[in-house]
C-alpha cells in the first residue's frame, strides 16, 4: 500500500498526473493536490482517500493551500457535507467500506473463504508490484475502460510511479494478468485501482488479489478499508465489494468555490461533458 503522505505519492501526482501539490503546515492536514481541467484549476484535499472528518483545524489550512495553488474550486470528500456559504453543490456518492478491519476475517465471508481455499491450488502467483510493472498495469487499466466505455484519467507514468508501492499483481504462466492498488493515510486504507484480463477469469485473479489486499491491510494494522465509490453504471462492482464484508457508508463531495464565477463555469462545463459522454456511450452501444 502506498502512503498518501509520502514523497512517493507526491511524485506520482506531480510527475505522473501533472498536479501541483502542497503540504499544509497543520500536522494532521493531508496533502492538497491541484489539477488543471482545461482553463480551470481544481484542488482535492487528501486525494484519493478523502477526509475522515470535517475538522476546521484541518480543513482551513488545506483550503489555504488550495488558494496558494490558485485553485478555482476545492472538492472536499468526506462522510458528510461541508456546510459553507461558498459550497456550490453537494454530490452524495456513497461508498462501500469495512469499518473495523481488526475484526475482519476470511472465515466470515463466503467470497473470502472461497478465495482462500482456491489459493493453495491456484496456478496464479500473487506478488507485490515492482519497477517496470506500470506499463502492464496501465494496459490493463485501459482495456477495462474500453470494455466499460470509461474516461481515461490516469497515465502510464502515474502507474509506473505507484506500482512498486501500491500494487499487488497476479501472474499466470509468466503473464501479468491482473492487479489491485491500495493506499492509506494513518490507519485508514482504501482501494485505488484494479483490473484483470478477461481470458484469465477462470483463475479468479480478482478474488485472489482482493483477498491478498485485505489481508495485507489487516496485517499492517489498518483500522478501516474503504472500497470508494463505484460508477453508477456498475452495480455489480458495488455488490462485489459488499461480498468481501463491505457495508454501505455515506460519502459526500462538496464543491467549495474559491472563485465563484470560474467555479460555476467549471461545474457547467463538467456537466456538459458528462452529458455528451453519456450520449456517446449510448450511441456506441447501439
Amino acid at each position: 500500500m502506498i502512503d498518501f503522505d509520502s514523497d512517493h505519492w507526491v511524485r506520482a501526482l506531480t510527475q505522473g498526473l501533472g498536479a501541483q501539490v502542497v503540504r499544509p503546515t497543520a500536522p494532521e492536514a493531508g496533502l492538497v493536490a491541484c489539477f488543471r481541467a482545461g482553463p480551470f484549476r481544481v484542488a482535492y484535499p487528501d486525494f484519493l482517500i478523502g477526509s475522515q472528518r470535517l475538522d476546521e483545524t484541518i480543513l482551513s489550512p488545506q483550503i489555504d493551500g488550495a488558494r496558494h495553488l490558485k485553485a478555482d474550486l476545492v472538492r472536499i470528500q468526506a462522510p458528510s457535507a461541508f456546510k459553507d456559504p461558498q459550497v456550490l453543490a453537494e454530490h452524495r456518492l456513497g461508498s462501500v467500506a469495512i469499518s473495523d478491519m481488526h475484526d475482519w476475517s476470511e472465515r466470515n465471508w463466503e467470497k473470502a473463504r472461497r478465495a482462500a481455499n482456491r489459493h493453495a491450488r491456484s496456478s496464479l502467483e500473487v506478488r507485490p508490484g515492482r519497477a517496470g510493472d506500470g506499463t502492464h498495469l496501465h494496459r490493463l487499466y485501459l482495456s477495462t475502460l474500453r470494455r466499460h466505455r470509461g474516461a481515461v484519467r490516469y497515465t502510464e507514468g502515474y502507474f509506473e510511479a505507484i506500482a512498486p508501492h501500491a500494487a499487488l499483481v497476479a501472474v499466470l504462466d509468466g503473464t501479468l494478468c491482473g492487479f489491485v492498488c491500495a493506499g492509506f493515510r494513518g490507519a485508514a486504507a482504501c482501494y485505488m485501482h484494479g483490473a484483470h484480463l478477461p481470458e484469465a477469469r477462470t483463475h479468479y485473479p480478482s478474488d485472489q488479489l482482493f483477498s491478498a489486499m485485505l489481508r495485507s491491510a489487516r496485517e499492517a494494522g489498518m483500522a478501516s478499508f474503504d472500497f470508494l465509490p463505484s460508477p453508477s453504471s456498475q452495480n455489480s462492482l458495488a455488490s462485489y465489494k459488499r461480498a468481501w464484508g463491505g457495508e454501505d457508508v455515506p460519502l459526500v463531495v462538496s464543491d467549495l468555490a474559491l472563485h465563484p464565477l470560474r467555479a460555476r463555469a467549471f461545474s457547467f462545463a463538467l456537466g456538459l461533458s458528462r452529458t455528451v459522454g453519456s450520449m456517446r456511450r449510448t450511441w456506441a452501444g447501439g
Side-chain angles (χ1 to χ4, degrees):
M1 294 187 295
I2 193 166
D3 185 346
F4 290 132
D5 281 329
S6 69
D7 291 338
H8 298 304
W9 183 233
V10 172
R11 280 194 291 274
L13 294 174
T14 56
Q15 298 175 19
L17 297 180
Q20 291 181 291
V21 175
V22 66
R23 194 185 299 272
T25 54
E28 292 188 49
L31 300 173
V32 179
C34 188
F35 300 88
R36 281 192 173 276
F40 308 106
R41 291 174 179 266
V42 184
Y44 294 80
D46 293 304
F47 184 82
L48 290 157
I49 195 168
S51 304
Q52 301 305 304
R53 65 185 191 278
L54 294 174
D55 187 321
E56 183 66 23
T57 62
I58 296 173
L59 275 176
S60 181
Q62 288 181 321
I63 293 169
D64 288 343
R67 287 195 178 94
H68 174 74
L69 296 175
K70 297 180 171 58
D72 300 305
L73 187 79
V74 184
R75 308 202 89 175
I76 300 168
Q77 176 182 316
S80 59
F82 179 54
K83 298 301 182 183
D84 187 279
Q86 289 182 283
V87 170
L88 293 180
E90 298 173 2
H91 310 278
R92 297 183 179 274
L93 305 179
S95 188
V96 177
I98 300 172
S99 300
D100 189 349
M101 280 300 296
H102 301 308
D103 285 343
W104 184 85
S105 171
E106 296 94 331
R107 295 188 299 273
N108 296 334
W109 302 96
E110 183 180 0
K111 174 70 76 174
R113 283 199 307 272
R114 287 183 177 180
N117 291 336
R118 287 193 191 101
H119 178 71
R121 59 181 187 273
S122 175
S123 53
L124 284 176
E125 174 198 358
V126 175
R127 63 163 173 81
R130 55 196 183 206
D133 284 341
T135 299
H136 303 289
L137 270 59
H138 187 245
R139 189 178 300 128
L140 287 171
Y141 162 74
L142 292 179
S143 175
T144 299
L145 288 181
R146 283 193 291 270
R147 290 199 302 274
H148 295 285
R149 303 190 183 99
V152 177
R153 293 186 174 90
Y154 299 98
T155 67
E156 183 176 331
Y158 166 82
F159 280 107
E160 284 286 5
I162 68 171
H165 313 288
L168 290 170
V169 304
V171 180
L172 179 66
D173 298 330
T175 298
L176 200 156
C177 64
F179 77 94
V180 291
C181 292
F184 71 95
R185 183 163 192 271
C190 76
Y191 171 81
M192 298 167 62
H193 314 286
H196 68 268
L197 287 173
E199 51 266 38
R201 192 171 293 147
T202 55
H203 295 273
Y204 299 94
S206 289
D207 287 2
Q208 293 300 316
L209 288 164
F210 264 64
S211 178
M213 175 179 67
L214 291 173
R215 285 198 311 271
S216 175
R218 182 187 61 197
E219 291 165 3
M222 295 295 110
S224 62
F225 192 97
D226 195 335
F227 292 103
L228 296 186
S230 302
S232 57
S233 60
Q234 297 182 40
N235 291 329
S236 61
L237 183 53
S239 298
Y240 183 80
K241 295 170 180 178
R242 295 185 192 102
W244 291 94
E247 297 178 328
D248 292 337
V249 296
L251 187 148
V252 184
V253 175
S254 304
D255 287 347
L256 179 73
L258 298 185
H259 299 284
L261 289 178
R262 290 180 59 79
R264 289 183 186 278
F266 166 78
S267 296
F268 175 79
L270 182 62
L272 181 62
S273 173
R274 287 173 173 169
T275 299
V276 171
S278 177
M279 292 169 65
R280 285 175 174 169
R281 287 191 292 272
T282 299
W283 295 334

